[in-house]
Amino acid sequence: MLNYYLIIVLAPLAAAIVAGLFGKQIGRAGSHWITILAVGLSCALSMLVLRNMLWGGAPSENISLYTWAVTDGLRMEVGFLVDRLTALMMAVVTFVSFMVHIYTVGYMRDDPGYERFFSFISLFTFSMLMLVMSNNFLQLFFGWEAVGLVSYLLIGFWFKRESAIFANFKAFLVNRVGDFGFILGISGVVMFAGSLDYAEVFASADQIAGQNIELFPGSPWNAMTVVCILLFIGAMGKSAQAPLHVWLPDSMEGPTPISALIHAATMVTAGIFMVARMSPLFELSETALAVVIIIGAITAFFMGLLGIVQNDIKRVVAYSTLSQLGYMTVALGASAYSAAIFHLMTHAFFKALLFLAAGSVIIAMHHEQDIRKMGGLKKYMPITYWTALIGSLALIGFPGSGGFFSKDLLIEAVHESHWEGQGAIYWIAYLSVLLGVFVTALYTFRMFFLVFHGEERMDAETKSHLHETPWVVTVPLILLAIPSAVIGWYAVEAVLFGGYFGDAIEVTQRHDVLGRMAADWHGSKGLVTHAIQTPIFWLAAAGVFTAWLLYLKRPDIPATIQSKVTGLYNLLDRKYYMDDLYIKGFAAWGRSIGNLLWKKGDELIIDGVIVNGTANSIGKLAGVMRQIQTGYLYTYAFAMIIGLTMLLSWLIWFR
């Protein structure tokens, strides 16, 4: 299988290099064909690997490919760990990327950076594959930074736009904060385990958990808690968890295809995958798990609220991503790692679908993104309408959809995970994800109704050109709508209750919430019929009804509500003032210190006193010395006599 793995990883890289370096020579068609075929090949082989794992009984493989360096016994290698967790991630990443590549042909057709864009998204796919297939922390960090680099290039793809440059710089800086914690966590792993290899580190997990470290003198911390929290800080940056979430909504400044790729299958899923991969470590620190679940709960609920006041169609979907990532993080904190990965998978399909559907609308609306200027698009764009409806139903967890199985069972897992001594934390998390169901349904169908139903609010010129988008746009929508609708029926039992992940994910008996839930599992049909009896269903229904009432039946009500709760509306509209805190607070404070060091330190002290001051002093001294150099012999003779007299006097005095 090694050749398969190498082709899966290297095909997108080779295509990215060819399209990037020789794009002008091979042309637009050559660039998109070579990258589409390469990613399609990776997708086909990834599906084959997944099939072999599922039905062929293929064993996990841990392969060392290349030893880069050995220093003090620490081996730095390139290798692959392909188990069932890896196989699932490979299939999701390559399938969504393949759909995005096809879609891009239509969306970016008139863009002057066409070849460059295909090179970047193919490179993005390679970077994510290197991350999920790694068998050691060094390669994990390489993939981690590579997806960050390519996301920087893609968010700022339209580099002539000031907003795009600001957005990619913001993403870069915020992720550096998370990555600083991440590399400290890896350093902690090396310090306590003496290895970068996953297998060796996991084998040393009990040893790490038995050690302490003093972060401050006289204040010992459990070493495993410190390592796991530092690793999770990295996940907070990549997977946009509060308070390191602020970069993700601004990533909408990039073209829509990359928004779909970042939000659905690559960048933001890296943190969720990493924590699941590190389950043998996190299971030994309940403090770290408590931190994970609280951060996830805050993100799931409060970021969802922001989606209610957004008017940019892509930003509504972006805040949905933030909220759903919070759901996955809550599941990780509840030790329901399988549920988190299952929701990651279903979310990848329906979130890519929603982003690409939003892009289809944007194309038809001549790049108008304000949902207040849309309406009634159902009759003009039937394919986009029905696929967007499937994606929206999956997002709110409509019974039978892919999102229903993953989201409902995730919430139930959190409900069942109240451990002794930490019950309050888990109740807060449960209430957050439960109330988030209503919020999700409200902002999702607010967007859906304003875009596809109601009165037509676009201008006459736009309306005269409205029509369904080309097949290169609609075919990926259809292909993504299929798993969004049905994947839960086929995967839920195996992934959550059938032991699909095997030893790829480790859960202690105390934390095995999914194992306890398995006793009450009565199959997919039973879950669907039971759904109507749960508060989850009724909260989602209430959210849809509220959206219908406020934005179709009585569209005058939202303005009235806004006028009565202006403080709350402004709080949401200003995104809890987090951007102000970072931009006008931390960033402005940093610039003030920089200006102070520049004006007082550089200009006044270094340039003024040391550099220019030294030069001026020498000039003044030279001026004085110049007066002594008269050129007259008797002056020099007199000076010599005076000097000799002073020397003799000194010798006699101190004799």
Side-chain angles (χ1 to χ4, degrees):
M1 293 292 289
L2 176 58
N3 291 336
Y4 282 4
Y5 303 150
L6 288 173
I7 293 171
I8 290 170
V9 170
L10 296 179
L13 175 62
I17 293 172
V18 172
L21 298 181
F22 308 105
K24 297 303 180 185
Q25 286 76 17
I26 62 178
R28 288 174 167 246
S31 296
H32 72 234
W33 274 115
I34 192 170
T35 51
I36 289 173
L37 290 174
V39 174
L41 177 61
S42 291
C43 180
L45 293 178
S46 296
M47 294 297 179
L48 179 62
V49 171
L50 181 61
R51 185 194 70 83
N52 290 340
M53 290 279 183
L54 276 173
W55 296 295
S60 301
E61 295 189 70
N62 191 348
I63 305 167
S64 178
L65 289 175
Y66 171 70
T67 300
W68 178 46
V70 179
T71 174
D72 294 331
L74 182 67
R75 300 181 66 85
M76 301 181 185
E77 298 179 328
V78 176
F80 296 146
L81 171 59
V82 182
D83 54 16
R84 292 190 166 199
L85 174 59
T86 308
L88 181 63
M89 290 298 298
M90 288 163 59
V92 170
V93 170
T94 54
F95 178 74
V96 173
S97 180
F98 186 40
M99 295 299 101
V100 169
H101 275 70
I102 296 172
Y103 178 93
T104 299
V105 175
Y107 192 89
M108 300 292 288
R109 137 183 99 178
D110 299 322
D111 196 281
Y114 190 85
E115 299 90 343
R116 178 166 56 95
F117 189 82
F118 273 98
S119 175
F120 286 171
I121 58 175
S122 190
L123 185 61
F124 210 174
T125 307
F126 158 76
S127 302
M128 191 64 186
L129 287 170
M130 285 292 285
L131 189 156
V132 301
M133 295 175 69
S134 61
N135 70 347
N136 63 84
F137 284 91
L138 177 67
Q139 187 174 325
L140 173 69
F141 189 70
F142 166 80
W144 196 267
E145 293 303 310
V147 294
L149 169 64
V150 183
S151 69
Y152 170 83
L153 297 173
L154 285 163
I155 293 170
F157 181 78
W158 287 321
F159 54 84
K160 293 184 180 180
R161 295 183 183 179
E162 186 175 342
S163 58
I165 296 302
F166 179 81
N168 73 347
F169 189 54
K170 185 178 181 181
F172 181 83
L173 289 179
V174 172
N175 273 276
R176 295 293 69 73
V177 175
D179 291 354
F180 182 68
F182 188 58
I183 198 168
L184 286 177
I186 294 175
S187 300
V189 167
V190 173
M191 180 170 72
F192 291 110
S195 176
L196 288 166
D197 184 80
Y198 289 164
E200 294 179 9
V201 172
F202 296 161
S204 305
D206 290 331
Q207 175 190 339
I208 299 173
Q211 299 183 61
N212 289 330
I213 180 174
E214 288 193 5
L215 299 179
F216 307 99
S219 178
W221 281 60
N222 179 264
M224 185 63 80
T225 295
V226 173
V227 167
C228 288
I229 290 177
L230 288 172
L231 291 174
F232 179 64
I233 290 173
M236 288 170 62
K238 277 290 180 290
S239 293
Q241 296 297 289
L244 300 182
H245 66 280
V246 293
W247 68 271
L248 191 59
D250 286 1
S251 69
M252 298 302 96
E253 292 297 331
T256 298
I258 195 52
S259 300
L261 201 53
I262 288 177
H263 286 243
T266 53
M267 181 92 162
V268 297
T269 62
I272 306 300
F273 164 79
M274 185 273 291
V275 175
R277 173 61 80 196
M278 299 300 139
S279 59
L281 305 183
F282 278 84
E283 281 299 285
L284 299 181
S285 174
E286 291 194 355
T287 302
L289 289 174
V291 170
V292 172
I293 201 169
I294 285 297
I295 293 296
I298 292 170
T299 306
F301 181 69
F302 289 101
M303 295 306 109
L305 289 176
L306 296 183
I308 299 173
V309 300
Q310 299 301 311
N311 295 311
D312 184 309
I313 186 172
K314 287 172 63 177
R315 285 183 179 267
V316 176
V317 185
Y319 279 104
S320 163
T321 300
L322 281 173
S323 181
Q324 296 307 303
L325 288 168
Y327 274 85
M328 298 174 210
T329 303
V330 167
L332 294 172
S335 289
Y337 305 98
S338 300
I341 296 298
F342 184 41
H343 194 51
L344 182 155
M345 177 186 70
T346 62
H347 175 265
F349 297 131
F350 65 71
K351 186 52 57 69
L353 171 59
L354 285 173
F355 265 114
L356 298 188
S360 179
V361 170
I362 292 169
I363 294 171
M365 291 290 297
H366 296 282
H367 294 276
E368 176 60 65
Q369 297 184 195
D370 192 332
I371 58 178
R372 295 169 297 183
K373 298 178 181 179
M374 299 179 189
L377 293 184
K378 176 183 177 181
K379 67 180 181 181
Y380 300 103
M381 309 179 69
I383 298 176
T384 301
Y385 171 81
W386 287 108
T387 53
L389 178 60
I390 291 172
S392 299
L393 292 173
L395 174 57
I396 70 169
F398 184 79
S401 66
F404 160 76
F405 291 102
S406 61
K407 193 173 182 179
D408 275 39
L409 289 171
L410 184 156
I411 294 171
E412 287 301 321
V414 176
H415 182 244
E416 294 292 329
S417 63
H418 301 148
W419 305 333
E420 183 180 350
Q422 295 183 336
I425 291 175
Y426 290 86
W427 271 111
I428 293 171
Y430 174 65
L431 290 175
S432 296
V433 294
L434 191 62
L435 294 174
V437 172
F438 172 82
V439 175
T440 302
L442 176 57
Y443 67 68
T444 300
F445 274 86
R446 170 183 178 263
M447 174 187 69
F448 186 80
F449 290 145
L450 287 176
V451 172
F452 294 105
H453 291 277
E455 63 175 306
E456 299 171 359
R457 298 177 298 277
M458 69 286 295
D459 58 67
E461 175 65 20
T462 301
K463 184 177 178 180
S464 65
H465 293 93
L466 278 175
H467 59 82
E468 187 60 89
T469 44
W471 70 268
V472 288
V473 174
T474 56
V475 167
L477 295 182
I478 295 168
L479 294 178
L480 285 166
I482 294 170
S484 298
V486 305
I487 191 68
W489 291 94
Y490 298 100
V492 59
E493 188 162 358
V495 173
L496 293 190
F497 305 114
Y500 163 77
F501 288 111
D503 58 2
I505 290 176
E506 294 185 18
V507 182
T508 62
Q509 185 175 359
R510 169 177 163 81
H511 298 164
D512 190 12
V513 61
L514 292 177
R516 296 194 293 272
M517 290 172 60
D520 297 323
W521 174 251
H522 300 295
S524 302
K525 291 182 180 178
L527 182 63
V528 173
T529 55
H530 174 69
I532 197 170
Q533 305 173 32
T534 66
I536 302 172
F537 171 80
W538 291 107
L539 283 168
V544 175
F545 174 77
T546 304
W548 172 81
L549 177 65
L550 296 182
Y551 298 101
L552 287 184
K553 186 69 175 177
R554 291 289 306 277
D556 57 302
I557 295 180
T560 304
I561 296 175
Q562 181 180 335
S563 66
K564 292 184 180 299
V565 290
T566 53
L568 176 60
Y569 177 82
N570 289 334
L571 179 67
L572 297 178
D573 188 53
R574 297 296 295 272
K575 296 168 282 190
Y576 307 117
Y577 297 94
M578 293 298 291
D579 279 342
D580 291 335
L581 174 63
Y582 290 143
I583 297 169
K584 298 179 182 179
F586 296 145
W589 179 68
R591 287 194 301 271
S592 298
I593 293 177
N595 286 332
L596 178 66
L597 293 173
W598 167 39
K599 292 291 186 182
K600 303 300 183 183
D602 191 24
E603 288 190 346
L604 181 62
I605 298 176
I606 297 176
D607 288 344
V609 176
I610 298 176
V611 178
N612 296 332
T614 302
N616 292 335
S617 299
I618 292 174
K620 291 178 180 179
L621 178 62
V624 173
M625 297 299 294
R626 191 181 301 116
Q627 301 302 319
I628 299 174
Q629 301 297 325
T630 63
Y632 295 113
L633 184 61
Y634 61 81
T635 302
Y636 300 145
F638 180 72
M640 291 172 65
I641 292 170
I642 294 298
L644 183 61
T645 302
M646 292 176 65
L647 178 62
L648 290 172
S649 299
W650 183 82
L651 290 173
I652 293 170
W653 183 267
F654 292 101
R655 186 174 179 180

